[in-house]
Amino acid sequence: MADALLEVNDLTTSYGPVRALDGVSLSAEAGRITAVLGANGAGKTTLLRTISGLVRCSAGRVLLGGDDVTKAPVEAMVTKGMAHVPEGRGVIAELTVDENLRVGSLFRGRVAKAEFDRVYDLFPRLVERRDRPAHVLSGGERQMLVIGRALLARPRVLLLDEPSLGLAPRIVAQIFGLVRQLVDAEGLAVLLVEQNARSALSVADVGVVLNLGRVVVTDRADRLIADEALRHAYLGF
């Protein structure tokens, strides 16, 4: 865990009498994609929401760059180097693509044009739409926009919740490939929550399998793909 930018230790989160996370521990290291996998109801989205402070845990700790951020307010997570892209591609529909991107940089004050250009270089499909309202974008373009917006916060740790949801396989492959490129080029630590286990493991370095709020196994992605019994039991392929 020496290179871990994010450490989660014995995290427990409940919704009333229902325990959604039950002592979850994992880490996300610089330059690696850690995929969190499991069936619906396994606790994957709750895990990201708890890490980013949107939901408060009842026990456990979250460390970001060695600092305890378990009780930090949500807005402080951004300044400390964490960006969370939630499920659902939450663009601001009335704003243009360019204005949506600027929202991601608001807390930083003035941001150099080169940083916006970098996002457009990563997602060239957004260039010709930069002055158009976000509600005209396709699902894949919206996913590119919210990831680009998160990158303008200059995160060290990027939390991605179900980025493949509702997208065509070709677009999923393109987005996952871009995430892999970012991780390799810039040393981001990515925690990727995915229902599409096969696609996630194809780009991930490490896989963490959740079942009913508990970690079943943590292993290298290639080993999880090769474990037929585990795939059938927990991952559906």
Side-chain angles (χ1 to χ4, degrees):
M1 302 260 283
D3 296 325
L5 288 177
L6 175 70
E7 298 177 47
V8 174
N9 298 321
D10 297 320
L11 210 60
T12 298
T13 300
S14 300
Y15 298 113
V18 178
R19 184 167 289 187
L21 299 177
D22 190 3
V24 171
S25 295
L26 56 80
S27 65
E29 298 180 5
R32 304 185 85 181
I33 298 174
T34 300
V36 180
L37 312 168
N40 286 332
K44 303 186 301 296
T45 290
T46 296
L47 175 63
L48 292 197
R49 289 173 61 83
T50 304
I51 290 171
S52 66
L54 291 169
V55 174
R56 291 301 176 193
C57 63
S58 55
R61 293 200 308 163
V62 177
L63 303 178
L64 180 59
D67 296 330
D68 191 335
V69 297
T70 312
K71 297 181 179 180
V74 175
E75 58 272 18
M77 294 298 198
V78 180
T79 61
K80 291 177 181 292
M82 181 187 294
H84 182 186
V85 178
E87 178 185 346
R89 299 188 282 279
V91 301
I92 304 172
E94 297 79 11
L95 298 183
T96 67
V97 167
D98 207 61
E99 288 166 341
N100 267 275
L101 288 179
R102 293 184 185 282
V103 168
S105 65
L106 284 178
F107 85 97
R108 295 180 53 203
R110 186 173 179 81
V111 175
K113 177 179 178 295
E115 294 194 49
F116 289 93
D117 290 343
R118 167 178 164 268
V119 171
Y120 285 120
D121 286 342
L122 285 168
F123 303 109
R125 288 178 62 172
L126 298 179
V127 175
E128 61 191 61
R129 295 159 176 78
R130 64 189 303 166
D131 296 320
R132 302 187 68 186
H135 68 79
V136 306
L137 301 181
S138 68
E141 289 163 351
R142 291 186 182 205
Q143 190 65 68
M144 295 172 191
L145 178 55
V146 293
I147 293 173
R149 188 172 64 193
L151 292 175
L152 281 170
R154 298 289 297 273
R156 295 180 292 163
V157 176
L158 181 63
L159 311 182
L160 291 177
D161 193 357
E162 300 281 7
S164 75
L165 188 66
L167 300 182
R170 177 177 59 84
I171 303 300
V172 172
Q174 182 181 0
I175 288 173
F176 279 6
L178 283 165
V179 172
R180 182 74 255 177
Q181 175 187 331
L182 278 167
V183 169
D184 292 340
E186 303 186 16
L188 281 176
V190 170
L191 194 62
L192 169 66
V193 155
E194 255 302 328
Q195 186 73 24
N196 187 338
R198 188 191 300 272
S199 292
L201 289 173
S202 72
V203 296
D205 300 286
V206 176
V208 179
V209 181
L210 291 185
N211 185 49
L212 300 178
R214 295 184 177 182
V215 175
V216 177
V217 64
T218 299
D219 206 343
R220 287 191 343 226
D222 59 342
R223 289 179 178 170
L224 292 181
I225 291 174
D227 190 333
E228 185 175 356
L230 182 138
R231 288 193 286 107
H232 289 333
Y234 296 109
L235 303 181
F237 75 97

